[in-house]
Amino acid sequence: MKRSTRMKRLVSAFASMVLGSILVLGMVVLINHFADGLDRNDGDDGDQIVFERKPPPKKEVVQQPKPKPKPRRAPRTPPPPLAGLSGNLSGIDFGLPGFDMSDLNALDGDLLGGADSMVMTDDTVDDPPRATFQSPMQYPPRAKAQGVKGYVVLSLLIGVTGEIEQIEIVESSPEGVFDEVAVQGVSTWRFEPATYQGKAVRAWAKQRVRFDLS
Amino acid sequence: MGASFISELLSYVEAGGWVMPPLIVLMVVLWFAIGYRFAALQRGTARGARNLLDKTAKRLAAGKPPKSDGVMVRAARKGLRLKGSGVIELRGFLDDAFWEEERDIKRYDVLIKTIVMVAPLLGLLGTVIGMIETFDSLGDMSLYSQSGGIAGGISQALFTTQMGLAVSIPGLIVNGMLNRKQQDMQLELAQMKDILCAEHTDEMAAAGAVPVGG
């Protein structure tokens, strides 16, 4: 193959590479742009609707003769119970084994695998977990020097005995500044476990830690 | 416009997770290959095989340079030279000589097919990863966290599928057209071989050199 041919092919390949990439990426952006545009409400049109309220037309009062009271029916007596229904059934054998309701309660624990392994949330428990001991946290020195304020929202998994099993950072502002201090600080706290129907259960709890310079 | 386009694009890439960079690389390679293939599949002439052979024979006799560097023109010149050199088993030599042209028109064919098939699968992989993240966040109750959570997982799931399809579909269409062109040219190369061999046999028989059958 000649040099010029090869060069021509490479030039064509690179040109197509650039154009094709722009085409595809442009397509993707365009599609999503329009998809966003569907939700967007510019508020230019139809933001004001004026209702014209007409006063209701005056009703002409027409004196009507009072209707005659309807003749009252004599109250019906309920039909007499079928005499001897139970008596009729009592002779039939349904072939059902005896059903004892007292077994149901015993099943409860086994069926759901016991309440110990269940994890509940703030909303589903009767009493959410409460902090019984909160140690003060150290303000990060660099943030203090720069006067940065913020907060961290943590999700804590509190076990049956009140110990912290897991800590997740849900939200933090500014991101990453207070995370470590908050997690370390909260992990030394003590909690009273959440209760559900009088028993302690594992539950997720949200805890907001605010860092304020004051 | 340009800056907002790029920032929007970057936000999609970020939302898509680690599947996005490979997809973009695949897209670039795909369009490079398509451009190369487009340039390589130039015939160089609009004439049919028989007509082209006649014209090329005249140009060769007159000592003129080839009109273009298209595949068919090159093959015709090679074939005529071989025929003129007076080899006996012409077909074998033609197969050998045309091999370069046949390789040229098939180059990157498999690569393009592979990318077109793999891109949607990569998108699907991204979707699965996004869904796993979504269910994870259901598990540990960090539903609305800054990084990930339900919204992050689902947007990852959707963007990667979209990107995979957006890479694949144009490539599929363009490759279909190129494939058609390639098949036509392969047929014509075979036709050219047949014509050359037939002429060669006639000439040999006329000269009385070898029995018919070459």
Side-chain angles (χ1 to χ4, degrees):
Chain A
M1 210 193 315
K2 273 192 287 181
R3 214 184 144 75
S4 66
T5 316
R6 193 173 297 155
M7 280 306 293
K8 216 193 272 177
R9 285 183 188 178
L10 282 181
V11 167
S12 159
F14 277 110
S16 143
M17 188 170 89
V18 172
L19 286 179
S21 303
I22 289 174
L23 175 97
V24 169
L25 295 179
M27 207 165 70
V28 168
V29 169
L30 210 66
I31 291 170
N32 292 321
H33 200 72
F34 279 123
D36 285 345
L38 288 179
D39 303 336
R40 223 173 276 149
N41 191 358
D42 296 337
D44 288 340
D45 40 59
D47 56 348
Q48 265 198 339
I49 301 172
V50 179
F51 284 107
E52 281 183 20
R53 212 173 259 178
K54 284 182 190 166
K58 275 184 183 173
K59 277 182 186 168
E60 288 176 18
V61 183
V62 180
Q63 288 279 337
Q64 280 182 340
K66 272 190 180 176
K68 281 180 190 172
K70 282 180 184 170
R72 268 195 198 163
R73 264 185 212 160
R76 243 187 224 166
T77 49
L82 272 175
L85 178 66
S86 56
N88 288 340
L89 285 180
S90 64
I92 303 170
D93 181 16
F94 284 105
L96 285 175
F99 190 68
D100 192 3
M101 295 289 277
S102 62
D103 286 347
L104 272 182
N105 290 333
L107 264 178
D108 202 23
D110 298 338
L111 211 59
L112 296 175
D116 298 343
S117 57
M118 244 183 344
V119 180
M120 305 182 83
T121 63
D122 269 351
D123 309 326
T124 51
V125 292
D126 292 339
D127 281 322
R130 250 170 308 157
T132 52
F133 165 72
Q134 300 185 333
S135 60
M137 291 180 198
Q138 207 184 2
Y139 211 94
R142 188 180 290 172
K144 195 170 193 172
Q146 293 172 351
V148 179
K149 288 188 272 184
Y151 64 89
V152 179
V153 180
L154 299 163
S155 209
L156 310 171
L157 178 58
I158 314 265
V160 229
T161 54
E163 83 281 9
I164 299 173
E165 292 187 6
Q166 210 174 325
I167 301 182
E168 303 272 345
I169 296 170
V170 176
E171 200 182 334
S172 56
S173 163
E175 220 170 320
V177 177
F178 300 110
D179 293 1
E180 228 171 281
V181 181
V183 169
Q184 274 180 4
V186 168
S187 57
T188 62
W189 290 11
R190 300 281 153 66
F191 284 87
E192 198 176 276
T195 55
Y196 179 67
Q197 293 182 344
K199 270 192 277 180
V201 288
R202 291 167 83 202
W204 284 97
K206 277 229 174 96
Q207 180 69 46
R208 190 186 178 94
V209 184
R210 194 175 300 162
F211 291 83
D212 210 343
L213 285 168
S214 56
Chain B
M1 170 62 203
S4 76
F5 174 84
I6 289 174
S7 70
E8 205 166 337
L9 197 65
L10 280 181
S11 74
Y12 296 145
V13 170
E14 205 174 325
W18 64 264
V19 182
M20 282 314 231
L23 264 176
I24 287 178
V25 170
L26 277 187
M27 177 191 70
V28 170
V29 173
L30 172 73
W31 283 96
F32 178 87
I34 285 178
Y36 186 95
R37 208 158 138 68
F38 185 78
L41 281 171
Q42 295 302 318
R43 294 166 53 89
T45 173
R47 297 176 193 281
R50 193 175 292 274
N51 195 347
L52 175 67
L53 278 175
D54 289 347
K55 290 285 169 191
T56 314
K58 277 177 200 161
R59 284 185 87 87
L60 268 178
K64 286 185 198 165
K67 230 175 170 178
S68 71
D69 54 0
V71 175
M72 301 305 290
V73 174
R74 263 191 294 145
R77 285 177 84 87
K78 262 192 205 169
L80 285 169
R81 277 213 197 92
L82 263 179
K83 199 181 88 173
S85 67
V87 291
I88 299 169
E89 282 285 343
L90 182 61
R91 187 170 280 274
F93 282 91
L94 280 179
D95 284 344
D96 193 35
F98 283 6
W99 175 79
E100 197 192 336
E101 273 68 36
E102 281 178 1
R103 192 199 53 185
D104 252 15
I105 62 179
K106 272 195 272 190
R107 188 165 237 171
Y108 290 140
D109 177 34
V110 176
L111 179 70
I112 292 178
K113 272 183 195 150
T114 310
I115 291 179
V116 161
M117 275 173 58
V118 162
L121 291 181
L122 257 182
L124 194 65
L125 181 66
T127 301
V128 173
I129 294 169
M131 281 296 146
I132 289 174
E133 190 183 323
T134 303
F135 291 125
D136 270 355
S137 67
L138 282 176
D140 61 15
M141 290 292 156
S142 57
L143 298 185
Y144 306 106
S145 63
Q146 274 168 346
S147 62
I150 285 192
I154 290 181
S155 75
Q156 178 177 0
L158 296 184
F159 280 132
T160 51
T161 307
Q162 188 186 35
M163 187 70 190
L165 290 179
V167 169
S168 170
I169 292 173
L172 200 64
I173 295 172
V174 176
N175 196 39
M177 295 192 281
L178 292 176
N179 263 346
R180 178 66 195 272
K181 222 169 168 182
Q182 177 200 334
Q183 281 168 4
D184 283 355
M185 286 172 72
Q186 275 172 331
L187 261 181
E188 250 173 307
L189 280 177
Q191 200 185 353
M192 208 183 265
K193 272 186 219 166
D194 287 343
I195 295 170
L196 283 170
C197 286
E199 284 175 2
H200 185 65
T201 317
D202 288 349
E203 281 167 23
M204 293 297 234
V210 258
V212 179

